[in-house]
Amino acid sequence: MGGGVDFVGGLRADGLPAALSDPVRLAAVAATGLLDTGPEEVFEDLASLAARMTGSGRAFVTLVDGERSFWKSCVGVEAPGLAQRQNPVRESFCFFLVGLAGDAFIVNDAAADPRTRDHPSVGPMNIGAWAGYPLMSPDGQVLGSFCVIDDVPRTWSQTDLTTLATLARSVSAEVHLRQSLAAARKAQQVSADLAHSLQQGLLPPALRPVPGLDAAASYLPASAIGPSDVEVGGDFYDLFHTTGDAYGAVLGDVCGKGVEAAKVTAMARYTVRADAGLSATPARLLARLNSAMFAQNSPRFLTAVYTTFHATPAGLSGRIALAGHPPALVRRADGTVHELGQAGTLLGVMEQIHLTDVDYQLFPGDLLLLYSDGACEARPRPGMTAGQKGPGVFGEKELVAALAATHPLDATATIEHLTAVLAAHHGGWASDDTALLALRVPPAA
């Protein structure tokens, strides 16, 4: 089954890597406390980001014990219950990562690669290409994998692999943090107290008035699971004057929660403000923010959308850039909605990034909406019945439809309507932080 792969430690009697049954490794897997637990926001977000950034369609965060691969997250796969969120280890590619003791395992054509062509899941799971990086314990044990699957063969780009490696490290870091917090409850309380103090200083500011513009925003933090949760999120937004008659608006989403996420949130917002007058375009400003994150050895990454604009006799003229962030939405005065912005690299992962400026015009009655992925990946509250919630995830199509339904509301009423629609979908239990920022050119008198 391993196609002649030389596994560290040899093979078990069933032909699988002997490392799967290593008691030290199995103890490390059990110590994560993640086996047989349901989906969680941070792992869903990281897997969703991997699927989106690689265009693969499926992404998994798995824990591997001696007999099975348990899917802590399985984006792109319908698996409503714990029984469906796992498969026997021999039917998983993850045993390769365990047997290779920490090396990545990359397959461009699973049906042709001699290592995987006889694997029992290539056909049933429609595996065209597979790329995975190990989840590691602090002492070097392989806990599982962070992987993506494409339905068709493909050559994974260096950008794909760099992104996956970074996200795998982020998952490992999240697991390490949880274990550390569980082992030191006093330290957890200190961290929680500090986080709550930071939250008071990091809540999005009140929007300043902008001549000729109707603006509104909202911020809903993810719902707490328990009373001791560190609730500081990573979403932020700002609206401010830059130079001359120009203004800037930014909305970003820092990966993760807690004190480290709060530090990056503060650094990002203040860096954007400080550099706004020095950067000729949104793309250049976001590139400067990326450089600042590398200079400070930021442990987190973020997605962001930034726009500059100024009033014109016809309405508003602007320019926008996306850094790994969902596209902005424009609601025209006639009620039609379209996406705005060109996909770009998220910040804090690679020093060399690709960002694109896109020009746009808003006319009287037009509205520009910036939002975080909490507004386009909203999940129903656990335990809601089918009659209480909308089906599945509230995605980008649903957000576009909800925005179109706000025609011809002003910015404040638009934000209130979107917030109400999201609340109705998830039952008041936000699975992720949700930030919304609406900029509208008032209709002509």
Side-chain angles (χ1 to χ4, degrees), residues 363-411:
F363 303 101
D366 291 348
L367 178 143
L368 174 67
L369 178 70
L370 311 182
Y371 57 94
S372 63
D373 58 9
C376 62
E377 296 179 358
R379 301 175 181 86
R381 171 174 51 83
M384 288 180 70
T385 65
Q388 294 175 314
K389 64 186 178 182
V393 175
F394 187 92
E396 294 180 2
K397 291 182 179 179
E398 288 76 16
L399 180 60
V400 167
L403 181 59
T406 63
H407 170 68
L409 300 179
D410 63 15

Side-chain angles (χ1 to χ4, degrees), residues 14-192:
D14 60 2
L16 296 176
L20 286 167
S21 302
D22 184 338
V24 176
R25 192 193 72 84
L26 291 175
V29 173
T32 67
L34 297 178
L35 288 172
D36 299 310
T37 61
E40 294 184 51
E41 171 194 341
V42 62
F43 301 112
E44 295 292 306
D45 287 346
L46 291 166
S48 296
L49 186 58
R52 186 171 70 202
M53 295 300 294
T54 62
S56 58
R58 286 179 283 171
F60 296 77
V61 175
T62 69
L63 282 301
V64 180
D65 62 19
E67 301 300 330
R68 60 178 175 150
S69 174
F70 175 74
W71 310 339
K72 180 62 179 176
S73 178
C74 51
V75 170
V77 175
E78 288 295 331
L82 290 179
Q84 292 80 40
R85 300 176 70 89
Q86 56 187 299
N87 63 347
V89 70
R90 67 170 43 255
E91 297 177 10
S92 167
F93 277 25
C94 297
F95 71 73
F96 286 99
L97 292 169
V98 176
L100 293 172
D103 288 344
F105 188 67
I106 312 299
V107 180
N108 294 326
D109 187 341
D113 193 309
R115 301 171 299 173
T116 59
R117 62 191 176 197
D118 296 325
H119 193 284
S121 291
V122 171
M125 290 190 65
N126 195 28
I127 302 175
W130 196 96
Y133 283 79
L135 305 181
M136 304 296 295
S137 72
D139 60 352
Q141 299 298 321
V142 179
L143 306 173
S145 76
F146 185 88
C147 69
V148 291
I149 300 176
D150 204 314
D151 293 348
V152 298
R154 61 180 284 179
T155 299
W156 301 101
S157 70
Q158 188 57 51
T159 298
D160 292 334
L161 300 182
T162 299
T163 299
L164 288 174
T166 300
L167 294 175
R169 289 195 297 270
S170 296
V171 173
S172 296
E174 178 69 22
V175 175
H176 302 169
L177 176 61
R178 291 174 177 224
Q179 292 177 288
S180 297
L181 292 176
R185 294 187 179 277
K186 290 184 179 180
Q188 179 187 40
Q189 189 58 54
V190 170
S191 178

